[in-house]
Amino acid sequence: MDFSATFPARMAALSEAVAFLEQSALTAALSSSTALKLAFTLEELFTNTVRHGFGGDSDHPVTLAIEVSPQEVTLVYSDETPPFNPIAQAATLSHGDLSVSLERRGVGGLGVFVSCQLANRTTYERVDGRNQSRFTFLV
């Protein structure tokens, strides 16, 4: 069972994207725990696309696909920002110093890292001029 939709890279569209994901999770009878992991990951990726990838709202498309099998569910996230591998960026944190206090760390920088920790498998590739990240969770 697969679901897909496209949204403009605008912060106002994030709620629509999350609603699409929640409805897809409901239709696929995913657990609330799995749905929360998917939603957290989507919100993090979408926010980073708008804020950092485009530097603000854009009409460029963000495409979401949810691939569901009996054993796992994969969120496939694709955007048209300049080439950027969020999974590799998150991996640098896992080798860095995570013991820095919250006061010294500042805001942001850990969301994709947490998503990678929650996922059972992650991949990134550049496909047809688009970034494509895949986060797979066991169900």
Side-chain angles (χ1 to χ4, degrees):
M1 183 179 310
D2 295 342
F3 308 89
S4 65
T6 300
F7 304 91
R10 300 185 158 279
M11 288 309 298
L14 176 57
S15 60
E16 295 171 47
V18 171
F20 160 77
L21 184 142
E22 290 172 345
Q23 183 58 52
S24 300
L26 204 69
T27 301
L30 298 176
S31 70
S32 59
S33 173
T34 300
L36 285 172
K37 291 175 188 177
L38 289 165
F40 178 84
T41 301
L42 168 60
E43 289 180 23
E44 196 58 38
L45 293 170
F46 197 97
T47 300
N48 287 346
T49 292
V50 174
R51 289 190 181 153
H52 305 295
F54 289 118
D57 285 340
S58 167
D59 288 327
H60 286 277
V62 171
T63 303
L64 309 177
I66 299 148
E67 301 170 349
V68 183
S69 75
Q71 298 83 22
E72 61 189 26
V73 60
T74 300
L75 171 65
V76 183
Y77 183 93
S78 177
D79 68 30
E80 294 181 343
T81 62
F84 179 74
N85 181 345
I87 295 164
Q89 179 72 20
T92 63
L93 284 175
S94 67
H95 300 299
D97 185 6
L98 292 175
S99 64
V100 174
S101 69
L102 291 177
E103 294 80 18
R104 292 190 55 223
R105 179 174 298 285
V107 176
L110 293 178
V112 175
F113 172 78
V114 171
S115 291
C116 288
Q117 298 301 304
L118 292 171
N120 297 88
R121 188 171 61 251
T122 58
T123 62
Y124 166 86
E125 62 183 325
R126 188 82 176 163
V127 179
D128 297 326
R130 296 175 61 88
N131 298 302
Q132 185 181 87
S133 301
R134 300 172 67 87
F135 288 78
T136 300
F137 305 88
L138 297 179
V139 294

